[in-house]
Each structure stands twice: as C-alpha cells, then as structure tokens.
Amino acid sequence: MADTDRNPEIWENLPAEHRAALESRLEPGEKLFAAFVTDLDQRLRYRAETVVLTNRRVLGIPSQNSPRESMPIDSWEYPLAQAFRIGEHGGLGMLELLGGEGRLGIWRFTGNRTHDANRLVSRFRMLDPRGAGHVETVLSVCPRCGGVLSPEGECAGCATALQPPASKSLIRLMRFARHRAGSILAGFILLMASIGAGLVPPYLVGPLTEEVLLPLKEGQSIPAGLPATYLSLLLVTALLAWLLGWARNFVLGKVSEQISADLRNESYSHLQKLSLEFFGGQRTGDLISRISSDTDRICQFLSTDALEFFADAVMIALTAVILFSINAWLAAVTLVPLLPVAWLVQKVRARVRHGYARGMTAWSDMVSVLADTIPGIRVVKAFAQEQREIERFRRSNTHVLDLNNRVNRWWAFFRATVPFFTECGVLIVYGMGIWLVLHQELKVGVIFQFLLYIGMFYVRFESMSRITAAAQRAAASAHRIFDILDRVPSVPEPVRPIQPGTVRGEIELRDVRFRYGKREVIHGINLKVQPGEMVGLVGPSGAGKSTLVNLVCRFYDVGEGAILVDGVDIRSFPVEAYRRNIGIVLQEPFLFFGTIAENIAYGRPEASHAEIVAAARAAFAHDFILRLPDGYDSLVGERGQALSGGERQRISIARALLTDPRILILDEATSSVDTETEREIQAALNTLVQGRTTLAIAHRLSTLRKANRLVVIESGKIVETGTHEELFHRDGTYARLVHAQMEMSQQIGIG
Amino acid sequence: MQPLSPEQIRVERDSWGKLMCRLPDGQSVAITAQHLFPISDPAHWVSLRGPQGKELACLESLQFLDPASRALVEQELASLEFFPVIERVRSVSSLSEPCEWTVVTDRGETRFVLKSEDDVRRLGPHQAVIVDAHGIRYLVPDARKLDARSRQYVEWYL
Ligand SMILES: Nc1ncnc2c1ncn2[C@@H]1O[C@H](COP(=O)(O)OP(=O)(O)OP(=O)(O)O)[C@@H](O)[C@H]1O
Ligand SMILES: [Mg+2]
C-alpha cells in the first residue's frame, strides 16, 4: 500500500470510512486517478457512495449501513469497464458504468454533485479515449432559469454561490444615482442649508427667555429694540428655511423620479434582451408588477423617505452636537432611552423587510391572476367559470391582506413603542432640569432651549424609525428588480461580432441538438439549405419543427452543434443585425395594440404607405382590411381580438413580406384560413419565396407543393428528405401522412 | 397497436439495466414507467411507454400485474421519483434569501440552498413545496405537525 500514489486532492475528499475501505483494496503500484462521491445511495437516501478511477480499474464503494460492517467493494478492470453515461431526471442524477455486455454499476446523486460527476466522466475520457463513444454530455440549457450551462453543467444565473442579500439592494441602487450626480449634489447642498436654517430658531429661544422674558417678568427694563430684533431674526430664518425647503424638495423629488424612471427603463430593456426561455418560466403578471409597482415603491422611497431619512440623520447629528455643547451631562442622560429603540429597530427590520417581500410576492400573484384571466376572458366565459375566477382572485387578495396584516402586527407595536421611549426622555429632561435649576446649576432659558431641541431630536428620531419600514419595503422591491437585472441573457451577444449585412441565405445545420430544460427535443439534425431554396418541414405534431425554426431565428441557442448562415456560425452575428435578415410568420400570430398599418410595418417602421399596401396586397389582406371601417387605420385591439385567426395570419404574412428578408420562415402560415384563401395566399407565397431561402412548416401538405425539398421530422430527427414525388413513392412517414390526409378529404367529399 | 391488458404484460430487466416488456408477438421492447399524477395520486395510474414514447398500457392500479413485473415497475418508479419529505428543520443560515437549509427528511439529513422566496410554493395554508437551487423538491405536508422551531422556519414563508 505504501507505494500507491495517493493524490491528496482526491484522497482528502473521500469520506473517512471509504478511505479506510479503499486503502485495504488498492494494489501496489495502483494510482488514484479520480474519485466521485455521491450524496445519495441506490435507494435514494442521503448517504454517500464513492466511485474511484485508478490506472487499472473502476472501484465502487457502497454506502455503509453501520460503521463496523465490512464493505464489499465492487471492482471492474478496464477492458471490462468501457464507458460512463450520465443522465438527469427531475434534479436527480444518474451515473452508469457500462461494459460490453451490459450495465455494470449505477450511482445516484442530486444536482449538487452534477459538476463532480461530469468531472469524473471527463477524467475517464482522458484515461481511455476509446471509451469516449458512449459518453453523453449533460444539459446545455439550465432547466430552471434558461441560462446557458458551462461545460461542467453549472449555470451562471443559478450559481448556488450566495448572492448579495436583499438588504444590500438599496446600496446597489447607487449605480443609478451616479448619472444624476450633479442634481443630487445640488439637492444635498440645499438640504444641508435648509437643515441649518431649521436649527437656528430654537437656539434663539435661550437668549429670548433669559434676556427678554425673564427680565420682563421680574419687572426689569430691557433695551427697547431687543424683542423686535429677536422676532425679526426668527422671521427671517423661518422664511429662509421655507425657501430652502421648497427648492430642496423640488430638486430632490425630481432626481428620484428620474432615478426610478432610469430603473424602469433599464429593467425593461434588460427584459427585452432576455431570451424566450426566461419568459417561458415567468408569469406575466409578476414581471409587470416588478417593473411597475416595485420601481414605484423605490421612487416613493427615494423621493420622500430616503431624503427625510437623510435629513433626519443630519439633523439628529447636529442636534446632538448642540445638545452636548449646551450641557453634556444632561444630553447624555436624555439619550439613554434611545438605546432600546435602536435595538428594537435592529430586531424589527429583518422581519418587516421579509414581510414586505412576501407582500410583494403575494401582490405579484394577484396581478398574475389578472394577467391570466383578462386576456383569457373568452375561455372563462365560454366555460362559465366567472365565479371560480372571482374566487381565485379573492383568495390571492386575501393572501395579500393576511401578509400585510402580519407586517402590521409588528409595525403597530413598533410605532407605539418608539414614542413611549421618547416621552420617557422628555420626562428625564424635566426631572433633571428641575433638580439642576433647584441647585442653581442651570438657567431656565437653557432648559427651554434643551426641551425644544430634544423635542426636535425625538421627532426626527421617530420619523427615522418609521422610515425603517419604507426602507425595508424599498429594499425588498429593489431586490426583486435586481433579480431581473442580474440575469444573464441566454442568447448572448458575441464578444467580437461579425456583421452579417445582407446574407445570401445559405443555411446549414450541423448536428444540432437542443433541450427544453431536461428534455431533448432535437436529437442531432443535419441539413443544408441552398440560397433561394424552399424547404418544407413536415412531421407529426410535437416533432420539433417549430423548435427547429426557433433555433434558426436564434430565439434559443443550440445546445450542441451549430447553425451556420453563409458559412458563419449565427452565434457570431449580433442578434439584431442577424434577425433583420429573417422574416417570420409565427404559428400563433400576435398583433400589438395599434393600427393595422403599424402592425404591418412593425419590422420596418419607416416603410411608406405604398409599401405597406403592396405588402398587404401580396398577402391577400388588402381586401378584408378595406372592409374595416377605418381601413389601414383601424385599431386592432390587444392581441388582435377584433380579427379572425386567418386575418391575423395574413397581417403577419404582410409584416414578414415588408421586411424583404433573405430568409423566410413560415410556421403554419396558412393553417387557419379556408381553402379558397389558402390558394390565394399560396399564390402570394409563391411570388414571395422567389429568391429567398425559405423554411416552411405546414400540416396541410398541399401547401408545400412548391417546395424544392421536403424534410420529414419525427421525434426530433430527420427521417426522410426528398421531393414530394420521391417521398410519396417511398412508403415512409411522408407517404403515410399524405394517405391519411387524402382519406380525410375523401371522407369529407363523400359526407 | 392495441393497448396491452395487465395480464399480457411481462416485465424484465435486461443486462443494461433497462426495463423490457415482452409483447404478445414475442418481441421484447424497452419501456419506461411513469406516474400520471405523481403528486396528487402517486398510488394509482401508471403509464408504461415503449419505444418513441408510445403508450403500451395505462394502468389504474398495478395490482393486476404479475408480482415479478409489478415489483420491477415499482422499483423503476421509485428510482425516478425523489421528493423528500421534510421532518425537521435543523437550521437556516440567514433570514434573507439565498439561504442554506439543513433539514432532516424521510431520506436522511441534507442541506440545500433556497434561492428565493418564490421557491417556496404554498399548496395550502399549512402545506408547502420547497424547491432548492437544483430543482429538487421537498415537501412539507403539514407545517402544524412540525416541532416548534422547524415550524417557525417554514411559516416564515407561508
Ligand atoms: N417552451 C417550451 N418549453 C418546453 N418544451 C417545449 C417548449 N416548446 C415546445 N416544447 C416541446 O418540444 C416539443 C417540440 O415542440 P414543437 O413546438 O417544436 O413541435 P412542432 O413540431 O412545431 O409541433 P406542431 O406541429 O404541433 O406545431 C414538443 O414536445 C413540445 O412539448
Ligand atoms: Mg409548431
């Protein structure tokens, strides 16, 4: 055993009892090459098992039931152990060791160990290049957030490394303040000046009492102008404080509005850059509420509370200085009640923030119910489920109410407690004051001065602690916004982009694979499309046709393999410049709120009316558009509710036509029109596809008669390619589909 | 193809660890087993699927399978399903997310990272599913039945 080479890095990471078991089994000269410790056993309990690679064999150390039990170690020599395979299902990983005759061993682990498992496999590959054939790489797209995974299976967006906590989010807002540094500085100076002006009047109370009020009371005479002087001084400072306060509120209010507008803009534009995968996992209502309500909360906080908080803090510091300079001892005693308050603030803060965060989540849920049911109102009504939806809304509303009530419980207690302590402070001042005056150690005027300042101090202190809640609320909101901003787009912009300009339109798919989360839906597709060629994609529903064209459009990035246009990987083009070359008619045509003309010109807003009309004509939309009361200026409601499915489709065809793209993608472009219209659109498409590379998906196979080539896709693989004639006579999937359709139309013909 | 009746189903495991089903015509195909309602009704409704995901049989209950086949199917289902039930929460690293939970489940003790509070999904007033950073789900069947400390941690999110 002494001469085995123990790589300490591997050795140290093994559980102690596995190390002992292994020690007794290693042969002289046997070298440890890699090890993988699972966190689950065969029966999926949390127990470690170990797989060890040495230069001779693979060893498997099972989990131990009791420490004394002798461990039967499995051992597979190399020619026997041929390959590892990794799989994952529902966050649960599986590592299999394969031999020539069958599976030798299997190990299970959770996502925590995926990285380690992948490393073991890649070490094994280095060890035995011939065995590499069976190794399957794992996920390429993160199943949770849709981010890209590194080769080791780690996701940048989901990295389990702890992120900055919510309380830091407010500080992160500073980034947005930087652009507005000038205004903030101006506001800050005004703020300080107005605070200074506010501190003068109480100071004048001291001399006013001592030099005017008390002498008058005692019947002494005072200089004639003195009361007027003090009063006019008071008036002037009041006026000054008023003017400064006005300017300050205006400047700072404006800045905070600007900052929150910046925040909204930035989060929205970031949102637009995120790929479809992100949106697949999000609820619309939640996103809307983040961008609207959460930024609004932050704005409110910045414009009123943060300012006030800051003013309070400065004021408190200044008042404290003044108090101490008047009478240090008295000041020290009166500040004692602040200690429990400070402690309380600390205690309550986290709870209040958490409460508000939960409240915002519940709020988002409620907005999601709205965002769900209002667009889906037809379905609700069609199935007479109004009452149920009302109930659903009521439930989520009650949840909001409950959560806010819970915050309120804490809050009510806190708000009542702070004044109690400050009252205690005032009491102390009176008590101490009486005692000190009695012993001739303090003048009455000073007591008044003191009481005014301390009153101010406590008021400020109270408002500062009140702001705690607002700050926590804003922190929770800021956290939700940074949650979006921190997300890395999974269709990343290239670092050194190649400008595509206007492409020729040659498309090549090279061994393309793609997964939605864990499910691979495209299993290695190779296809080359010549410039100007029209390729029809056919195949059963769910085969992956739409997914494939989505990949060509770069809505998603391929998991493995590559898509090349004009021989260049599309990932090296800037996304926008590349998409400008593509015209798409989607399976579910979507119209934005606006006029028909605007919708047609969506991809090219500068298009002239003549061009818009020409495009509409070519898409056979012109006639029905003119039947609408306002023609091209008719408003189509949200999602084009006012139009029929076929009409919407024709508008989206016109939209694609107008951009004059080199590559045209038609996903079921004619699925919801009648046969007559289809024939018309067909004619339009025929002229449209001239000279453009076209990928067309259609279930109605007749639509694809003009295609140069048909590609039949089944379960994410290409099963046949060829012209209609060739495939028809081949008696494969295509022929089956054609026969099925002919049968259908015959039945209709008879019936 | 006609769906198979339970008596026709003969399940075996081959040397690659794959579940195989012998069809009436003597052919043997690889199958997968899947619960139809893994959360709401895991005791019933199992679908057996052959090559290309074609359903061979959909069984409301496994009890009509022959015992050997039934054991294999149950084993396969168990090996696919991982839904630890939280019995106790030992500690939570911080009050704000992301935080690390140390819990005792019915499958032993483990730790996981809760990334955001959205990952605690309420199923009912006292029932929740916690999804960790890797997408593994943990069930809290009834928060009221936990001990006081654990309950505090869980109710923080309910
Ligand atoms: N956003 C998504 N997330 C997860 N899975 C998806 C997503 N979109 C599609 N899928 C799945 O991928 C598979 C392929 O879908 P795709 O839309 O490409 O099919 P298709 O061939 O276009 O079908 P159809 O002819 O019905 O339009 C389907 O099984 C579908 O369930
Ligand atoms: Mg489709």
Side-chain angles (χ1 to χ4, degrees), chain A residues 468-501:
Chain A
T468 317
Q472 296 316 324
R473 192 190 273 247
S477 287
H479 189 66
R480 281 159 56 82
I481 287 175
F482 282 113
D483 202 32
I484 294 180
L485 287 179
D486 290 343
R487 191 112 18 182
V488 189
S490 64
V491 176
E493 286 289 339
V495 189
R496 248 166 291 144
I498 301 172
Q499 288 301 331

Side-chain angles (χ1 to χ4, degrees), chain A residues 46 103 108 354 358 406, chain B residues 15 79 107 156-158:
Chain A
Y46 289 105
R103 183 170 72 183
R108 312 296 302 261
H354 177 78
R358 305 283 312 140
R406 222 187 292 180
Chain B
S15 65
S79 82
R107 294 170 188 265
W156 181 249
Y157 290 99
L158 294 183

Side-chain angles (χ1 to χ4, degrees), chain A residues 733-751:
Chain A
T733 310
Y734 183 74
R736 221 175 55 232
L737 287 170
V738 175
H739 283 303
Q741 279 192 10
M742 289 204 311
E743 234 166 80
M744 284 270 284
S745 49
Q746 266 166 14
Q747 276 169 6
I748 293 166
I750 293 162

Side-chain angles (χ1 to χ4, degrees), chain A residues 516 519 521 539-548 556 587 667-668 697 699:
Chain A
Y516 284 115
R519 215 173 95 213
V521 291
S541 186
K545 306 177 297 289
S546 298
T547 307
L548 201 63
Y556 304 95
Q587 192 165 12
D667 192 349
E668 301 282 348
I697 300 176
H699 280 303

Side-chain angles (χ1 to χ4, degrees), chain B:
Chain B
M1 201 185 83
Q2 284 287 316
L4 299 177
S5 68
E7 305 81 56
Q8 290 175 297
I9 297 171
R10 293 278 174 279
V11 183
E12 302 148 357
R13 198 179 277 285
D14 75 355
S15 65
W16 295 95
K18 285 215 177 73
L19 224 50
M20 304 296 287
C21 181
R22 196 168 296 283
L23 300 180
D25 60 8
Q27 200 189 341
S28 194
V29 293
I31 57 165
T32 54
Q34 193 183 353
H35 273 307
L36 267 57
F37 307 98
I39 294 170
S40 60
D41 189 10
H44 296 100
W45 291 110
V46 173
S47 163
L48 299 180
R49 309 190 151 255
Q52 274 120 49
K54 218 170 237 152
E55 183 161 82
L56 297 179
C58 185
L59 310 169
E60 181 175 355
S61 158
L62 292 179
Q63 64 183 343
F64 300 113
L65 290 180
D66 72 279
S69 300
R70 182 178 175 178
L72 279 171
V73 171
E74 279 172 351
Q75 195 187 9
E76 178 77 3
L77 288 170
S79 82
L80 290 177
E81 253 136 56
F82 190 64
F83 199 7
V85 177
I86 293 182
E87 288 167 350
R88 195 139 51 87
V89 183
R90 275 202 201 283
S91 70
V92 174
S93 68
S94 87
L95 282 183
S96 61
E97 306 75 26
C99 52
E100 192 178 50
W101 289 51
T102 309
V103 295
V104 179
T105 70
D106 57 341
R107 294 170 188 265
E109 186 169 330
T110 186
R111 278 187 302 190
F112 64 84
V113 172
L114 176 69
K115 267 194 44 166
S116 94
E117 60 199 336
D118 303 339
D119 291 335
V120 182
R121 314 221 167 105
R122 260 165 32 109
L123 297 184
H126 301 284
Q127 198 181 26
V129 172
I130 302 178
V131 187
D132 78 359
H134 292 288
I136 292 178
R137 294 164 308 166
Y138 303 82
L139 179 71
V140 180
D142 190 343
R144 287 167 301 183
K145 296 210 179 103
L146 297 174
D147 61 289
R149 232 165 88 85
S150 312
R151 189 176 162 178
Q152 237 177 8
Y153 286 127
V154 174
E155 297 216 315
W156 181 249
Y157 290 99
L158 294 183

Side-chain angles (χ1 to χ4, degrees), chain A residues 99 124 200 231 268 417 583 694:
Chain A
F124 182 81
V200 177
L231 287 181
Y268 183 68
T417 313
T694 308

